[in-house]
């Protein structure tokens, strides 16, 4: 069997397109078939090479490798030849320079692998343009010619193409070529229940990459948009998903995109990822943010990432939670500052910073010991100082354990931040 993903490079790789690519790819991989990538760039004004590059990069990032690659703009001679054939056989006619298919007046039945039988009455089908007067083929014609010539056995695509399918079926028939099987995938709805669009959230795969989703987590989530491995399983490795995958099990009903669920799945993948790889994934984000230079202490980074790994829904969460470890300028959460950094804390901060100067080694055990002594001397509850000190050091009301935080910051930064806090 042979399937294809056939994007038009008139925009970015969309979440819906990525799911179509994924289901085609999974079907090919689960059946030992071939997965073709065909760039449908026949619309020369709307197609852009940068979109085409972006689509290829997106598929590569998701790990959806193709076995064969085509660009329709390199195949215009083939479409012209087939249009010519239909003209000669009287199945098409010219209108000016355009070539138009004479649509037979008959009912067309489509047996869809997901939706069952769909019947199109003859009134719904009009003569169809095959070649436009500018010499370029229409989508329906180049698509039908290619699916037939490339030996596509199953056309798996979005349900927005259902109305094109009877036209394409009549084109294969007119050309005397094999009609493939069809499966039309359900729509993906955004949070407001309408078709997913920029209005309701990010739609480009590259946006999800930039938000810090792991490709395997996004792939895992995309496969749940219309399909389910059963037993309420949500996190599933690709090899077991491939064993269970079947087109017939895809839902007819629209799938609802949930950012919360995607984040939850991403969090599970981040937890399971080896820390070394997680660091490799985080480094570009940290560099882009100016948190790391060309040279950096990888061992220290590994140590920090290990502490945060269990708490991250996305890679960019790390930038927000651990920013105080990478930049001199700490960003204070306004409520945390107002609540905890009040003038009455100054004496405690002062005493603590003086004592910490003598802590040696500056580790979690020693800093905790010093902290306990100071709290006792001041005669306050340790909670009365823990939270304010955390805010002074990190800018945040919640975070790692306080003594872990001090150790990661090191003696100088810990003391400087306490001094800066009581100076204010
Ligand atoms: N180029 C079409 C699109 O991007 C392909 C549809 C199909 O798979 O036939 O929507």
């Amino acid at each position: 069997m042979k399937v294809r993903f056939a994007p038009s490079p008139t925009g970015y790789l969309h979440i819906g397109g990525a799911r179509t690519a994924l289901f085609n790819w999974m079907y090919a991989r689960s059946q030992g078939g071939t997965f073709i990538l065909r760039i449908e760039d026949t619309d020369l004004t709307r197609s852009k090479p940068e979109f085409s590059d972006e689509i290829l990069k997106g598929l590569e990032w998701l790990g959806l490798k193709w076995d064969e690659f085509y660009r329709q703009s390199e195949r215009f001679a083939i479409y012209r030849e087939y249009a010519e054939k239909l003209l000669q056989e009287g199945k098409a006619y010219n209108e000016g320079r355009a070539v138009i298919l004479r649509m037979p007046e008959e009912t067309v039945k489509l047996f869809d692998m997901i939706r069952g039988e769909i019947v199109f009455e003859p009134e719904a089908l009009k003569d169809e343009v095959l070649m436009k007067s500018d010499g370029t083929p229409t989508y329906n014609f180049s698509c039908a010619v290619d699916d037939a010539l490339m030996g596509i056995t199953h056309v798996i695509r979005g349900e927005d193409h259902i109305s094109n399918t009877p036209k394409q079926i009549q084109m294969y028939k007119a050309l005397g070529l094999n009609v493939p099987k069809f499966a039309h995938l359900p729509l993906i709805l955004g949070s407001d229940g309408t078709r997913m669009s920029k209005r309701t959230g990010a739609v480009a795969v590259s946006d999800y990459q930039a938000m810090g989703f792991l490709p395997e987590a996004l792939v895992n989530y995309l496969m749940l948009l219309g399909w389910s491995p059963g037993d309420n399983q949500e996190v599933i490795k690709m090899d077991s998903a491939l064993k269970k995958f079947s087109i017939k099990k895809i839902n007819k009903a629209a799938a609802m995109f949930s950012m919360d669920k995607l984040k939850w799945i991403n969090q599970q993948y981040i937890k399971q990822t080896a820390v070394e790889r997680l660091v490799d994934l985080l480094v570009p984000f940290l560099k882009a943010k100016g948190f790391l230079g060309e040279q950096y202490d990888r061992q220290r980074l590994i140590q920090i990432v290990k502490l945060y790994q269990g708490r991250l829904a996305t890679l960019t969460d790390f930038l927000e939670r651990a920013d105080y470890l990478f930049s001199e300028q700490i960003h204070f959460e306004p409520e945390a500052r107002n609540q905890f950094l009040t003038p009455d804390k100054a004496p405690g901060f002062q005493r603590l910073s003086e004592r910490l100067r003598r802590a040696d080694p500056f580790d979690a055990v020693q800093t905790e010991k010093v902290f306990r002594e100071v709290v006792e001397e001041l005669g306050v509850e340790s909670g009365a100082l823990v939270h304010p000190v955390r805010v002074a050091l990190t800018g945040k009301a919640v975070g790692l354990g306080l003594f872990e935080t001090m150790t990661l910051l090191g003696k100088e930064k810990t003391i400087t931040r306490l001094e800066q806090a009581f100076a204010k």
Side-chain angles (χ1 to χ4, degrees), residues 144-209:
V145 168
D146 279 348
D147 284 341
L149 295 187
M150 292 172 187
I152 301 300
T153 55
H154 299 75
V155 169
I156 306 167
R157 60 184 168 200
E159 71 167 33
D160 47 330
H161 285 289
I162 288 180
S163 61
N164 288 322
T165 306
K167 302 173 190 169
Q168 294 176 10
I169 289 174
Q170 293 299 37
M171 292 178 192
Y172 300 111
K173 286 192 176 160
L175 292 164
L177 298 170
N178 282 341
V179 181
K181 292 199 168 78
F182 293 93
H184 288 94
L185 305 173
L187 281 181
I188 302 176
L189 303 181
S191 51
D192 66 349
T194 68
R195 192 176 170 162
M196 198 182 175
S197 71
K198 280 197 189 118
R199 225 167 12 85
T200 50
V203 289
V205 167
S206 54
D207 291 336
Y208 289 85
Q209 184 175 7

Side-chain angles (χ1 to χ4, degrees), residues 94-378:
N94 281 112
E95 207 171 85
R97 301 183 58 195
V99 182
I100 297 168
L101 179 74
R102 242 182 264 288
M103 195 60 77
E105 282 206 28
E106 60 188 29
T107 301
V108 178
K109 279 187 185 167
L110 157 65
F111 191 84
D112 189 278
M113 294 173 77
I114 298 169
R115 321 176 78 85
E117 189 176 75
I118 307 174
V119 178
F120 300 88
E121 299 302 340
E123 305 81 71
L125 298 169
K126 308 230 156 48
D127 289 2
E128 268 299 310
V129 180
L130 304 176
M131 300 293 290
K132 298 183 229 171
S133 50
D134 65 2
T136 64
T138 58
Y139 152 67
N140 280 309
F141 188 52
S142 51
C143 179
V145 168
D146 279 348
D147 284 341
L149 295 187
M150 292 172 187
I152 301 300
T153 55
H154 299 75
V155 169
I156 306 167
R157 60 184 168 200
E159 71 167 33
D160 47 330
H161 285 289
I162 288 180
S163 61
N164 288 322
T165 306
K167 302 173 190 169
Q168 294 176 10
I169 289 174
Q170 293 299 37
M171 292 178 192
Y172 300 111
K173 286 192 176 160
L175 292 164
L177 298 170
N178 282 341
V179 181
K181 292 199 168 78
F182 293 93
H184 288 94
L185 305 173
L187 281 181
I188 302 176
L189 303 181
S191 51
D192 66 349
T194 68
R195 192 176 170 162
M196 198 182 175
S197 71
K198 280 197 189 118
R199 225 167 12 85
T200 50
V203 289
V205 167
S206 54
D207 291 336
Y208 289 85
Q209 184 175 7
M211 283 186 269
F213 288 96
L214 306 194
E216 61 273 34
L218 185 56
V219 161
N220 188 147
Y221 180 66
L222 289 175
M223 77 172 76
L224 302 178
L225 292 174
W227 179 74
S228 154
D231 303 329
N232 288 326
Q233 194 181 2
E234 299 197 305
V235 176
I236 180 162
K237 292 256 149 46
M238 186 53 87
D239 43 342
S240 33
L242 289 178
K243 287 193 190 109
K244 296 182 175 180
F245 188 72
S246 127
I247 299 277
K248 293 195 179 75
K249 296 245 174 71
I250 294 174
N251 282 324
K252 282 196 278 260
M256 188 74 90
F257 188 89
S258 158
M259 193 64 165
D260 289 341
K261 188 151 162 188
L262 171 59
K263 280 189 176 171
W264 181 82
I265 289 180
N266 203 50
Q267 182 160 18
Q268 310 313 309
Y269 277 86
I270 288 179
K271 277 187 197 161
Q272 290 168 19
T273 296
V275 68
E276 289 280 351
R277 172 163 181 255
L278 201 50
V279 166
D280 291 340
L281 293 169
L282 284 165
V283 165
F285 283 93
L286 289 159
K287 284 186 175 170
K289 190 92 182 171
F291 284 179
L292 286 185
E294 273 318 302
Q295 302 293 324
Y296 60 91
D297 182 344
R298 190 170 167 95
Q299 285 317 313
R300 175 169 189 263
L301 187 55
I302 290 174
Q303 190 193 355
I304 297 171
V305 171
K306 270 187 188 156
L307 295 169
Y308 280 96
Q309 183 165 9
R311 310 169 179 227
L312 305 174
T314 62
L315 298 174
T316 49
D317 274 357
F318 181 73
L319 305 184
E320 282 165 34
R321 290 177 191 225
D323 60 347
Y324 66 94
L325 292 168
F326 299 95
S327 85
E328 296 303 320
Q329 202 62 34
I330 45 176
H331 168 80
F332 288 94
E333 293 168 358
E335 317 85 74
R337 174 161 46 193
N338 295 342
Q339 187 184 347
F340 294 111
L341 296 188
T342 46
D344 58 306
K345 307 295 179 336
F349 280 15
Q350 185 158 19
R351 189 180 287 229
L352 185 62
S353 65
E354 281 162 12
R355 292 296 186 73
L356 284 171
R357 196 168 284 292
R358 283 181 264 139
D360 186 32
F362 196 81
D363 59 14
V365 174
Q366 286 305 313
T367 52
E368 176 159 14
K369 191 164 163 258
V370 169
F371 184 85
R372 300 280 166 226
E373 285 165 13
V374 169
V375 165
E376 195 157 316
E377 288 165 26
L378 295 171

